[in-house]
Amino acid sequence: MAAQPVPHPSTDKKRVKVYELRNNDWFDRGTGFCTVAFSVSEDGQQRDPRVLVESEDHPDRVLLETRICKEDGFHKQQETLIVWTEPSNGVDMALSFQEAEGCAMIWKFIHGVQQQYHSAAADDSLSDDLAMDMPHPISLPQASMANLAEIESQIRAMSTTTNGRESLTKYVLTEDYIGKLLPLVSDAEDLESLNDLHRLCNIMKIIILLNDTSIIEHAVSDECVIGVVGALEYDPDFPSHKANHRQWLEDAGRYKEVVRIEDGMILRKIHQTYRLQYLKDVVLARILDDNTFSVLNSLIFFNQVDIVQHLQANGSFLAELFNIFKPSQPDARRKKEAVLFIQQCCGIAKNLQPPARQTLYNNFLAHGLLQVINFGLRHNDVGVRVGATDILVSMIDHDPQMIRSMIYRQLHDKQPPLTDSLIDLLLVEVDLGVKSQISDALKILLDQGPPAQAEAFAKANGEYAARVASRIPPSADPQQDNFLNGFYESSASKLFQPLINLKDRTNMEFSVQQASMFTYLIEILCFFIRQHQHRSKFFVLNNDIVMRIAQLLNCREKFLKLVAIRFLRQLIGLQDEFYIRHVSEKKVIGPVLEVLMQTMPRDNLLSSACLEFFEFIKRENIKELIKHVVENYRERLLTLTYLDLFRTLIIRYDQTGGFTAKMDYSMDVDDEPRRRANINPRTGGLMEHLTMDQNDDEYWNTSDDEEDFQPKSGHRTSSTNGEPSNTKPLVDYASDEEADENVDAGALSADEDKPEDEPKKANESPATVAPPLERLSEKRRREEDEEDDLTKMVQHKRRNSSSASSNNSSTSGILRKRKSMSGARDAGGGPKKIAISISPNIKAGNGQAGNQSDDEA
């Protein structure tokens, strides 16, 4: 295959934008420079032809590299677009060139390569299957009234196969078959031949549904569009009806040129875009398939991109457009058309990529867009007000902070802010759709934004930083603070003036506009209460808003009653002590109860809202409100006791005797330390609370180190007043004493003042010592088990030991304490005293501790 002459890459790079179709929306992959060439192998031979786009910002980055092959189906649209489908993944791609010359040069190369693929059936350098897949040439009958039936049958048969569709597409374009069919429409109308008109309509549908961009562009061109839509007016599915597409498109008054557009190409694209939208939304709305719908959307999208880029780059055009709104221009009709034109531009911008949309809005704001919005919001024509509101909502949806910044600038320049215009329009607007949009715009502009998420902050900065940040109050934007302060000082009272004016009003009859206004005002107020806590509290209290809204419970409209109940439910749902006390003081729960009694036993939305209101009070146990309801409306509640809800409220109040809030609060305060003390630190469960005597408490609170410096047990006092203590010891050894009562006389001593004689008796009479030693070994094992339990209970008072000698010392210390307790118990008037002899091996293991034990014994 002969190589095509390709321009040198260094001098013929063409600036393009690369687009990719994702979910029926064109995604901008970036801007770069396009080149085409054959890839070169290692041996210097040319291989596959490729299209390469290098990034404009990062030359080393390749935005696109695709191989030109037969299956790609490259198509040129208009003068600056090339579209195709990637064969590897089936993704639709597009190149939008900055200049038509560059597009023509690249297309010449691509088209030449594709022509060689199709014409080289016998060329060995190409695959043999190319010749097999080539569409066969076709020939349709001559376009005439007599051949319409045969033409329809042939093109219907060819449109069922892929090769047939390709052949038919090429034939229609090369032979200008659409142009040959258009005169037949007027001939058939003159002859009033309805069957021929139905055949022409079917033929036009099949040709358009071939999904070829060139055919569609030709069909909506100036010379063809009227004839094409004229044929589509006679739909055989509705034989008794005729559409009026030509009348609609021929109306030149629908195109209004506010500022003259000098560029002829942009002017043609504007007309073409309008016709494509009409074709998609009206003419072919019933029969469109996904492929044709995607093709039409792609054509519309690329036209809109070109139109918007031309407008925002034309400084003289924007200056002339916004100069229309200067006071020196008295033409009201032109101002109205300018607002609607800007609305259309903002509507087109919704389909653009965010960077292009941001650029358009910035250019509009720099030329005075807020002045246009203020003019439109105050216009007498509802269409202009809707247009201005649509412009504002479009910009808020894109970036609300951008509008807030403009409002800050207005406040800094001592100009009335945009929010005042929105408030004035909300209070007088009769269109419910405009009211809804203005309400949403006010809430977004006055939104302080969500608070920082503690979990996300902890992940990013660590738990310690999150704990520190939680103690520091979030710093608010000073500009936003000033804006909110000014709003609550002057604008808030103006906004809620209809609610404030309900004071001293007895007639609760409202018009539809007034009722809808109250609905939107209360929704805005609920939003303010959630977002502006401190400012809204002062405003609600200062203007007695709760009482004014409670008056709406006496009106006839049920939806207004629901709005009022939703507001009160919002207040108690915050569980803020200020609002709960305020609701109790104003006694606004009584009207809610009255509404419930009027609607019961009917089941409707109003009764459900009232029941949920009281159910929330019971479920959350809002004690002050329970007390307020039962004390003030007990007789009404008794009539509703067939409901468990109100019976439970009365019982809960009666059980606490009206002191619910204070009593529970004091109990919580008193029980909290005790509750924490009774929790097992290991298991987390509750522990049994044991009452301990003072002597036992002192025993457990005394450490072993302090024990070594205490006087001997014989010198200890048994009570603080010198009197014997009758308190039962913490550990009772009654079973051991009963067992030791049977020991021989040598093991017992009746005199406590002679401790020196006991060791001698133990040494002099081995016969008497043997039985105690045998019993002591059993008792020793039992005492070791008890030592483990005692050690676990007082582990926070003891130091852990790792050596055998330390364990022996601990054992001796516990034995000394036990014997000291026994001595104290005997000194309190016990009839018998016990002397315990320690075995020699324990003495040898503990040295002085053993001797001290013998002396004490």
Side-chain angles (χ1 to χ4, degrees):
M1 182 177 63
Q4 296 290 325
V6 180
H8 196 271
S10 61
T11 58
D12 290 296
K13 293 183 177 181
K14 305 303 177 182
R15 192 168 185 265
V16 296
K17 276 185 174 293
V18 182
Y19 289 95
E20 176 183 341
L21 187 64
R22 298 181 183 176
N23 299 324
N24 290 328
D25 190 14
W26 287 101
F27 175 75
D28 187 359
R29 294 178 57 174
T31 304
F33 295 98
C34 177
T35 56
V36 287
F38 286 94
S39 61
V40 180
S41 61
E42 296 180 356
D43 55 359
Q45 296 181 356
Q46 293 180 339
R47 293 290 183 88
D48 300 329
R50 295 183 178 273
V51 178
L52 183 68
V53 179
E54 298 176 352
S55 175
E56 180 180 25
D57 299 330
H58 306 283
D60 296 336
R61 179 186 169 200
V62 178
L63 295 178
L64 174 70
E65 184 177 2
T66 184
R67 185 171 61 89
I68 302 173
C69 59
K70 178 180 179 299
E71 293 81 5
D72 290 343
F74 283 85
H75 299 284
K76 181 183 178 184
Q77 296 180 5
Q78 306 169 13
E79 297 181 0
T80 58
L81 287 177
I82 297 176
V83 296
W84 74 96
T85 301
E86 285 287 343
S88 58
N89 51 18
V91 177
D92 292 336
M93 303 293 295
L95 292 177
S96 177
F97 289 82
Q98 184 179 9
E99 298 176 354
E101 181 183 356
C103 180
M105 182 176 296
I106 300 297
W107 174 249
K108 182 179 179 181
F109 176 87
I110 296 174
H111 185 66
V113 172
Q114 289 187 325
Q115 288 295 326
Q116 291 186 6
Y117 276 128
H118 292 302
S119 61
D123 193 347
D124 295 335
S125 62
L126 297 177
S127 176
D128 294 337
D129 59 349
L130 290 178
M132 299 172 58
D133 294 337
M134 285 182 59
H136 298 285
I138 64 169
S139 177
L140 292 175
Q142 184 180 1
S144 63
M145 298 285 292
N147 297 330
L148 286 179
E150 185 179 356
I151 294 172
E152 180 185 1
S153 62
Q154 286 191 16
I155 65 173
R156 190 182 297 277
M158 284 186 289
S159 64
T160 57
T161 63
T162 304
N163 291 336
R165 293 169 67 91
E166 293 180 2
S167 300
L168 182 60
T169 300
K170 290 186 177 182
Y171 183 83
V172 170
L173 289 174
T174 55
E175 299 294 333
D176 190 16
Y177 208 69
I178 294 178
K180 295 178 180 180
L181 291 172
L182 293 182
L184 301 180
V185 177
S186 58
D187 294 343
E189 286 179 335
D190 293 339
L191 296 174
E192 296 182 357
S193 176
L194 190 59
N195 291 332
D196 291 335
L197 290 172
H198 288 168
R199 291 190 182 97
L200 284 170
C201 180
N202 290 333
I203 292 171
M204 287 297 175
K205 286 181 181 179
I206 296 172
I207 291 176
I208 292 176
L209 293 180
L210 291 174
N211 304 329
D212 187 81
T213 56
S214 300
I215 291 179
I216 295 176
E217 288 179 349
H218 182 59
V220 296
S221 61
D222 294 338
E223 60 272 11
C224 296
V225 62
I226 299 300
V228 170
V229 298
L232 295 173
E233 287 180 354
Y234 298 92
D235 195 338
D237 295 335
F238 303 95
S240 60
H241 294 80
K242 173 184 174 295
N244 56 350
H245 303 318
R246 285 176 291 185
Q247 180 182 352
W248 181 270
L249 292 178
E250 286 177 342
D251 188 0
R254 300 189 183 279
Y255 176 72
K256 297 180 175 61
E257 198 171 15
V258 182
V259 178
R260 184 171 180 80
I261 299 176
E262 303 294 341
D263 194 329
M265 182 189 300
I266 297 298
L267 198 59
R268 287 195 301 271
K269 288 185 177 181
I270 291 175
H271 291 297
Q272 187 185 68
T273 303
Y274 176 73
R275 294 164 184 169
L276 288 170
Q277 288 176 334
Y278 185 80
L279 197 67
K280 176 175 72 76
D281 298 333
V282 180
V283 180
L284 303 176
R286 290 190 310 105
I287 62 173
L288 275 182
D289 55 9
D290 293 339
N291 294 330
T292 309
F293 186 80
S294 177
V295 170
L296 292 174
N297 277 336
S298 300
L299 291 171
I300 293 171
F301 171 76
F302 288 116
N303 282 345
Q304 290 176 343
V305 169
D306 294 338
I307 293 169
V308 170
Q309 287 182 347
H310 171 77
L311 295 180
Q312 71 180 9
N314 193 341
S316 60
F317 177 86
L318 292 178
E320 186 178 354
L321 174 64
F322 286 95
N323 285 337
I324 297 175
F325 297 95
K326 288 186 176 181
S328 58
Q329 298 289 337
D331 192 352
R333 184 186 62 82
R334 196 179 181 203
K335 290 181 179 179
K336 172 184 174 180
E337 293 176 353
V339 172
L340 299 180
F341 173 76
I342 296 174
Q343 177 194 7
Q344 286 186 345
C345 290
C346 293
I348 293 174
K350 293 180 181 179
N351 301 322
L352 302 181
Q353 297 294 326
R357 188 162 64 244
Q358 181 71 43
T359 304
L360 177 67
Y361 289 152
N362 289 338
N363 289 333
F364 281 178
L365 288 172
H367 285 82
L369 181 61
L370 284 186
Q371 180 183 357
V372 177
I373 296 175
N374 281 322
F375 168 81
L377 294 177
R378 301 176 186 273
H379 202 274
N380 296 328
D381 190 348
V382 63
V384 178
R385 294 199 299 270
V386 171
T389 308
D390 195 17
I391 295 171
L392 179 63
V393 171
S394 299
M395 300 184 68
I396 289 176
D397 289 342
H398 172 68
D399 186 8
Q401 189 59 35
M402 178 174 58
I403 304 297
R404 293 193 193 107
S405 301
M406 300 302 297
I407 295 176
Y408 301 156
R409 188 177 304 171
Q410 287 180 326
L411 293 174
H412 182 268
D413 297 339
K414 306 299 181 181
Q415 298 177 358
L418 176 63
T419 50
D420 287 353
S421 300
L422 294 175
I423 291 171
D424 294 339
L425 180 59
L426 178 65
L427 297 180
V428 301
E429 181 57 57
V430 295
D431 188 275
L432 298 182
V434 176
K435 276 182 179 289
S436 177
Q437 286 186 320
I438 294 175
S439 173
D440 293 339
L442 280 174
K443 287 188 285 189
I444 294 175
L445 291 177
L446 293 168
D447 188 8
Q448 290 181 309
Q453 298 293 330
E455 296 181 0
F457 189 86
K459 290 180 180 178
N461 302 286
E463 295 183 359
Y464 175 75
R467 289 196 299 269
V468 173
S470 63
R471 303 188 188 102
I472 303 175
S475 57
D477 185 3
Q479 288 183 325
Q480 182 77 355
D481 267 350
N482 294 335
F483 172 46
L484 291 177
N485 290 335
F487 176 82
Y488 276 96
E489 288 175 2
S490 59
S491 303
S493 58
K494 184 194 305 182
L495 174 62
F496 298 105
Q497 192 63 41
L499 285 174
I500 300 173
N501 291 339
L502 290 177
K503 186 177 182 181
D504 301 330
R505 177 170 177 169
T506 57
N507 183 15
M508 291 290 111
E509 298 288 338
F510 304 109
S511 64
V512 177
Q513 287 77 16
Q514 287 177 324
S516 64
M517 179 181 59
F518 286 134
T519 302
Y520 289 116
L521 289 180
I522 294 176
E523 287 182 357
I524 295 173
L525 185 59
C526 290
F527 175 81
F528 286 173
I529 288 174
R530 292 193 303 268
Q531 296 295 324
H532 316 143
Q533 298 180 2
H534 302 295
R535 295 182 178 90
S536 61
K537 285 180 182 178
F538 178 77
F539 180 79
V540 168
L541 180 64
N542 192 36
N543 294 278
D544 204 9
I545 294 294
V546 174
M547 285 299 296
R548 304 287 78 81
I549 294 180
Q551 288 181 249
L552 297 177
L553 294 171
N554 299 322
C555 66
R556 294 176 53 188
E557 290 81 2
K558 290 184 179 180
F559 69 91
L560 274 183
K561 293 180 181 180
L562 287 169
V563 170
I565 293 173
R566 185 164 68 244
F567 172 77
L568 297 176
R569 173 66 173 78
Q570 174 81 25
L571 291 185
I572 67 172
L574 296 174
Q575 298 198 26
D576 191 315
E577 186 178 354
F578 169 81
Y579 287 121
I580 292 176
R581 190 184 304 113
H582 189 60
V583 168
S584 302
E585 291 175 356
K586 297 300 180 180
K587 296 183 179 180
V588 295
I589 299 183
V592 179
L593 190 60
E594 188 66 29
V595 171
L596 178 62
M597 295 179 66
Q598 293 174 2
T599 55
M600 294 297 290
R602 296 189 299 273
D603 253 348
N604 53 29
L605 188 58
L606 193 56
S607 62
S608 299
C610 296
L611 289 174
E612 197 278 335
F613 181 85
F614 290 102
E615 178 66 29
F616 180 81
I617 296 176
K618 185 200 79 170
R619 184 175 66 251
E620 299 298 327
N621 196 21
I622 306 177
K623 304 176 182 63
E624 187 170 345
L625 291 183
I626 294 176
K627 180 180 178 181
H628 167 74
V629 171
V630 179
E631 286 183 352
N632 293 278
Y633 313 107
R634 190 183 188 96
E635 295 181 357
R636 299 183 188 178
L637 294 180
L638 290 175
T639 62
L640 298 172
T641 50
Y642 61 89
L643 296 172
D644 292 338
L645 168 62
F646 298 101
R647 186 165 59 250
T648 303
L649 289 178
I650 296 175
I651 292 174
R652 187 174 296 179
Y653 173 81
D654 292 339
Q655 286 176 347
T656 57
F659 298 98
T660 307
K662 293 183 179 179
M663 183 183 69
D664 283 356
Y665 177 75
S666 61
M667 289 176 62
D668 291 342
V669 173
D670 294 341
D671 292 346
E672 186 64 25
R674 185 181 304 169
R675 190 179 298 112
R676 287 198 300 265
N678 292 342
I679 294 177
N680 191 332
R682 290 188 176 184
T683 63
L686 292 176
M687 298 189 301
E688 183 181 1
H689 184 75
L690 301 177
T691 303
M692 297 181 63
D693 186 76
Q694 182 178 359
N695 292 334
D696 299 338
D697 194 17
E698 291 178 356
Y699 162 69
W700 291 113
N701 290 333
T702 304
S703 64
D704 292 343
D705 295 337
E706 295 174 354
E707 188 72 24
D708 295 339
F709 296 98
Q710 296 291 336
K712 300 291 183 177
S713 61
H715 300 285
R716 293 174 183 168
T717 58
S718 60
S719 68
T720 56
N721 297 327
E723 298 177 1
S725 174
N726 295 326
T727 306
K728 185 178 179 180
L730 181 64
V731 182
D732 193 358
Y733 290 94
S735 60
D736 297 339
E737 292 174 2
E738 291 173 1
D740 290 342
E741 285 178 358
N742 299 326
V743 181
D744 294 340
L748 301 175
S749 174
D751 190 83
E752 188 179 3
D753 298 331
K754 298 180 181 180
E756 298 85 5
D757 296 336
E758 293 175 352
K760 295 180 181 179
K761 291 179 182 180
N763 296 330
E764 291 174 358
S765 53
T768 59
V769 173
L773 286 176
E774 184 178 357
R775 285 190 298 273
L776 282 174
S777 62
E778 296 175 358
K779 185 187 293 185
R780 173 80 179 280
R781 288 193 297 270
R782 185 168 61 254
E783 288 174 350
E784 288 176 353
D785 295 335
E786 293 173 354
E787 285 176 26
D788 295 336
D789 296 336
L790 292 172
T791 304
K792 292 177 180 178
M793 295 175 63
V794 296
Q795 57 183 346
H796 64 283
K797 300 290 292 180
R798 292 191 173 276
R799 289 192 294 267
N800 294 330
S801 175
S802 59
S803 63
S805 61
S806 300
N807 292 334
N808 292 335
S809 300
S810 301
T811 305
S812 302
I814 295 177
L815 290 176
R816 281 201 308 273
K817 288 188 178 183
R818 189 171 297 135
K819 287 186 287 186
S820 299
M821 291 176 62
S822 300
R825 184 168 60 250
D826 295 339
K832 296 180 181 180
K833 305 175 183 60
I834 301 176
I836 300 175
S837 298
I838 307 301
S839 60
N841 57 351
I842 294 181
K843 289 183 180 181
N846 199 20
Q848 291 180 344
N851 295 332
Q852 186 178 358
S853 301
D854 294 339
D855 293 340
E856 290 177 356

